[in-house]
Each structure stands twice: as C-alpha cells, then as structure tokens.
Amino acid sequence: NAGVTQTPKFQVLKTGQSMTLQCAQDMNHEYMSWYRQDPGMGLRLIHYSVGAGITDQGEVPNGYNVSRSTTEDFPLRLLSAAPSQTSVYFCASSYSSTNYGYTFGSGTRLTVV
Amino acid sequence: KNQVEQSPQSLIILEGKNCTLQCNYTVSPFSNLRWYKQDTGRGPVSLTIMTFSENTKSNGRYTATLDADTKQSSLHITASQLSDSASYICVVSHLTGGGNKLTFGTGTQLKVEL
C-alpha cells in the first residue's frame, strides 16, 4: 500500500515554462487536494476534487489547473511558471472532506528562477 | 476571517520531558480540529481528529484536548523522544457550501535534545 505518491520530488523551472506535478493514490479515496506550503504560512489549498470528473478551486488557484479523469490520479499543471510559485507542493487524499484524516504525499519542492 | 494561531513558534526540550503545544482558532462554523506531525522534508501525518463533542483524544504518547467554548486546543506530548522532533500543525475544519474546508496553523517547531 503506497498511499499518496508525488513526482517529482524536486524540480527547477525557468520563468514561463510549464509542467505537471503528478499525484496518485491507491486507497480508493474520493477526495483529493493540492496544497502549497510557504515559509511562515500555513498550508494553502490550491484545488480540490470530490471525485472523478469533479474539481473546484481552493484559496490560491491562479496559475494552476487540475483535472481528475480517474479516482487514482490528480495532476496539478503550472501553465506559465512564475517565481511566486516557488514553494513546496503537497497532494492529499481522504475518504471525504469531513471527519477523516488526510493522507499527504511527501511533497514536491519547486523552484522557479 | 478564519484563523488558526499556534504557540509557541518553536520549542526545545530534553528527551524524556513532557511538553504542551497550544492552538487558538477563530474558525466558524466549526466542524473538527486536527493535529498533524510534519517531519522535515516530509508530508504532514495525522495524529488526532476531534469533533465538537470530543474534548480529549489520545494517540500513544500524544494527547489532544479541545475546548470548543473558548476555541482552544492543546497537544500534550508525554515522555518525549528524539523522533518527536518535528513541526506540529493544528488544523481546523469549517463547514462551507462546498463541504469542509481546512485552515492550517503555521506550526510549532519542536526539537528534542539529549
């Protein structure tokens, strides 16, 4: 049981480049979400999904796109990377968004130069 | 505005000692409160979840308390170990039209020394 798997672990991008951060879970969780973690700030929600085919925006969605074609996968796309998107990104999944603990991936550290 | 404040920001204790971390929140309407442990370079790991009707919950040497009236929670760590060195994050869930949303605190950085 791998839990939540994120790839890559580290990435350096040039301003204006695009890329996709991968997230996969093998727990049959309906709820999946993407967060970013910046120094001195709590984790902030970027996008989330309550099931395959359903996505919605979180607190800081600008510059990011998501899709959910399967229950297992929830990729995060950076359309045109900016230095302000330098951060650590975490994918999380859960049975639902209510009273269940979230399982987090180990994170992707992204640097945009 | 929904906010979660944690104190202290950082803490150093000797191995074997106990410690208590604090969390105050202004999130409304309240759904549940969670404590997570985040090791350096890793994702957060859930320790406890408490709903409105629960005022204490334990997970091994970790005991969380909740006072929903004063909107305060604490995480007590008993007989600390070197492996307890991590950031401890308080997270409060509130109800919205789109389901539960989480507000994260900035964490308390705990270091356990010999």
Side-chain angles (χ1 to χ4, degrees):
Chain A
N1 189 340
V4 177
T5 302
Q6 287 185 238
T7 56
K9 293 190 180 302
F10 302 94
Q11 184 71 48
V12 179
L13 287 179
K14 293 182 178 179
T15 297
Q17 287 184 318
S18 62
M19 79 160 294
T20 299
L21 279 62
Q22 301 292 343
C23 175
Q25 52 92 8
D26 60 0
M27 298 170 285
N28 202 32
H29 285 170
E30 289 296 325
Y31 184 85
M32 296 185 74
S33 53
W34 277 101
Y35 290 89
R36 59 178 290 172
Q37 186 174 38
D38 300 296
M41 302 183 72
L43 274 76
R44 292 181 292 169
L45 180 65
I46 304 171
H47 284 286
Y48 66 97
S49 169
V50 298
I54 306 170
T55 63
D56 205 348
Q57 296 181 350
E59 180 184 357
V60 288
N62 292 340
Y64 308 95
N65 271 359
V66 292
S67 60
R68 184 95 179 270
S69 57
T70 67
T71 299
E72 294 77 20
D73 300 298
F74 191 44
L76 177 71
R77 282 181 286 277
L78 278 70
L79 309 173
S80 178
S84 60
Q85 293 179 304
T86 293
S87 187
V88 181
Y89 292 85
F90 289 100
C91 178
S93 74
S94 177
Y95 284 111
S96 78
S97 68
T98 54
N99 295 331
Y100 292 94
Y102 285 22
T103 299
F104 283 85
S106 57
T108 295
R109 183 173 293 274
L110 175 68
T111 302
V112 182
V113 298
Chain B
K1 182 180 179 182
N2 293 317
Q3 287 187 316
V4 175
E5 295 184 352
Q6 294 186 242
S7 62
Q9 191 172 25
S10 63
L11 181 63
I12 301 174
I13 63 173
L14 295 177
E15 187 180 32
K17 298 296 186 182
N18 303 335
C19 67
T20 300
L21 314 180
Q22 300 292 341
C23 174
N24 296 336
Y25 62 93
T26 59
V27 174
S28 181
F30 176 86
S31 178
N32 59 65
L33 186 144
R34 312 163 185 226
W35 283 94
Y36 284 85
K37 177 187 179 187
Q38 185 177 21
D39 293 315
T40 300
R42 308 289 295 176
V45 174
S46 180
L47 294 176
T48 63
I49 301 176
M50 288 182 292
T51 59
F52 185 88
S53 59
E54 298 174 297
N55 55 25
T56 186
K57 184 164 281 189
S58 292
N59 179 357
R61 294 180 296 102
Y62 302 101
T63 299
T65 64
L66 172 65
D67 186 334
D69 291 331
T70 62
K71 298 186 177 182
Q72 296 179 324
S73 176
S74 65
L75 181 69
H76 185 74
I77 304 174
T78 303
S80 61
Q81 301 176 358
L82 296 179
S83 59
D84 291 330
S85 296
S87 178
Y88 292 84
I89 303 173
C90 176
V91 186
V92 181
S93 175
H94 65 281
L95 297 169
T96 72
N100 274 28
K101 295 294 171 62
L102 305 183
T103 301
F104 287 76
T106 56
T108 291
Q109 188 69 44
L110 174 66
K111 185 175 183 181
V112 181
E113 296 182 336
L114 290 172

